[in-house]
């Protein structure tokens, strides 16, 4: 086994043992802990799952989709921008879902093998193609975010859902 991988795995096991408890439960991987780990960028306490490394910002839309929609219980077409790996794995395990992970490829980054290189301001799909679009922490990096939102609306089926997350600063920070 790769020594670096073994080291990461051992550290994760120790962290998981230290945090063993029932204070919080990750709604993606199902593990429970006394608390989640803090995230470092931005610094948020009680945010990162020690097992699947999901952040609160990733668990929230997954919670919403499970509790407030039937989208995860029926065959749907999903377009997922800048896919978080934990959500990517969830959709890849759902054989009924027609899942399209996509990103705007940049040098120096790795992408899943089936990830499609897409410009969000010129989405290469037909009108009304998708039941669900996920796009977290992308639009704040797009100069023409209005065009991007117009494109997202164009490829979304009538009655479909788009969850578009962007960071929000406290009023005192602006
Ligand atoms: Zn987890």
């Amino acid at each position: 086994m790769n020594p670096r991988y073994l080291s990461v795995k051992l550290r994760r096991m120790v962290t998981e043992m230290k945090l063993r408890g029932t204070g919080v439960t990750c709604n993606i991987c199902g593990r429970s802990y006394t608390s989640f780990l803090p995230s470092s960028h931005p610094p948020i306490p009680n945010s990162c799952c020690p097992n699947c490394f999901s952040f609160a910002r990733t668990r929230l839309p997954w919670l919403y989709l499970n509790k407030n929609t039937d989208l995860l219980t029926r065959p749907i077409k999903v377009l997922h921008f800048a896919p978080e790996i934990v959500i990517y794995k969830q959709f890849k395990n759902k054989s009924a879902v027609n899942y399209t992970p996509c990103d705007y490829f940049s040098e120096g980054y790795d992408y899943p093998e089936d990830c499609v290189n897409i410009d969000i301001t010129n989405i290469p799909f037909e009108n009304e193609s998708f039941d669900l679009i996920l796009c977290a922490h992308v639009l704040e990096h797009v100069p023409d975010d209005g065009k991007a939102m117009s494109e997202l609306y164009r490829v979304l089926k009538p009655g479909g859902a788009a969850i578009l997350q962007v960071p929000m600063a406290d009023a005192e920070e602006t």
Side-chain angles (χ1 to χ4, degrees), residues 25-31 33 36 48-54 59 86:
T25 299
C26 174
N27 64 311
I28 295 179
C29 72
R31 298 277 184 94
Y33 302 98
F36 292 120
C48 181
C49 173
N51 179 55
C52 72
F53 303 111
S54 64
R59 292 189 300 273
V86 291

Side-chain angles (χ1 to χ4, degrees), residues 140-161:
E140 70 272 22
H141 303 289
V142 179
D144 193 351
D145 56 345
K147 179 78 166 77
M149 284 187 276
S150 170
E151 279 290 275
L152 293 168
Y153 184 76
R154 182 184 63 77
V155 299
L156 186 66
K157 288 182 183 176

Side-chain angles (χ1 to χ4, degrees), residues 66-134:
N66 271 296
K67 295 237 176 199
N68 297 83
T69 77
D70 67 349
L71 289 166
L72 301 181
T73 62
R74 58 184 171 89
I76 57 169
K77 282 189 73 176
V78 178
L79 184 62
H80 189 183
F81 285 86
E84 302 83 0
I85 199 67
V86 291
I87 300 296
Y88 171 91
K89 287 178 181 174
Q90 293 288 322
F91 280 121
K92 294 299 284 184
N93 284 333
K94 290 181 180 292
S95 57
V97 172
N98 182 326
Y99 178 61
T100 304
C102 62
D103 213 324
Y104 189 61
F105 289 6
S106 300
E107 217 174 286
Y109 289 89
D110 292 325
Y111 302 94
E113 194 176 343
D114 57 348
C115 194
V116 182
N117 188 6
I118 285 181
D119 176 355
I120 197 170
T121 64
N122 187 20
I123 300 174
F125 295 113
E126 300 289 321
N127 297 349
E128 302 177 2
S129 295
F130 295 94
D131 302 279
L132 173 64
I133 298 174
L134 299 175

